[in-house]
Amino acid sequence: QRWSVGPHVQRNLVQRMLQLRFRNIEDFQPSRKFYMETGMGQRRWWDVFHGRSQITNEEYLKLAEYFGVTLQEAYESRQLDLFDDK
């Protein structure tokens, strides 16, 4: 039997934001305080983190506030990387 892979978001905004604050995004381990301040549950966080569901604007702003990312940085991380040499 094969497991079908569900739909994923095209651009994972959460992982882009984590890359602004952490060298390795796997270094971030959410705590109970994180869940309380962002208003996200564990299941919702991991669905958004792994790209199984899209983050809402309200959740995105709460994450930016929690990680200390300015609105300018958060906005720039949402933009497409058309001209980046990667």
Side-chain angles (χ1 to χ4, degrees):
Q1 246 182 357
R2 297 185 123 193
W3 290 84
S4 63
V5 177
H8 282 32
V9 296
Q10 290 185 356
R11 291 186 310 127
N12 195 328
L13 300 175
V14 171
Q15 290 187 4
R16 285 177 177 261
M17 186 180 296
L18 285 173
Q19 288 171 346
L20 292 174
R21 289 294 164 230
F22 297 97
R23 181 178 230 167
N24 238 343
I25 59 174
E26 290 85 18
D27 291 342
F28 175 67
Q29 294 295 321
S31 63
R32 184 173 291 167
K33 181 180 177 187
F34 167 79
Y35 293 121
M36 292 183 74
E37 287 189 25
T38 58
M40 298 173 77
Q42 289 181 355
R43 173 173 253 150
R44 175 71 179 145
W45 164 252
W46 291 113
D47 281 346
V48 170
F49 177 82
H50 290 293
R52 292 187 287 261
S53 63
Q54 185 68 38
I55 190 169
T56 65
N57 287 333
E58 182 180 318
E59 290 170 337
Y60 190 74
L61 292 174
K62 285 182 181 180
L63 283 178
E65 181 182 335
Y66 182 83
F67 290 123
V69 176
T70 64
L71 291 178
Q72 178 70 23
E73 289 174 320
Y75 179 74
E76 288 174 359
S77 73
R78 292 183 78 142
Q79 301 304 307
L80 292 175
D81 296 326
L82 294 176
F83 303 107
D84 284 353
D85 294 330
K86 290 185 179 179

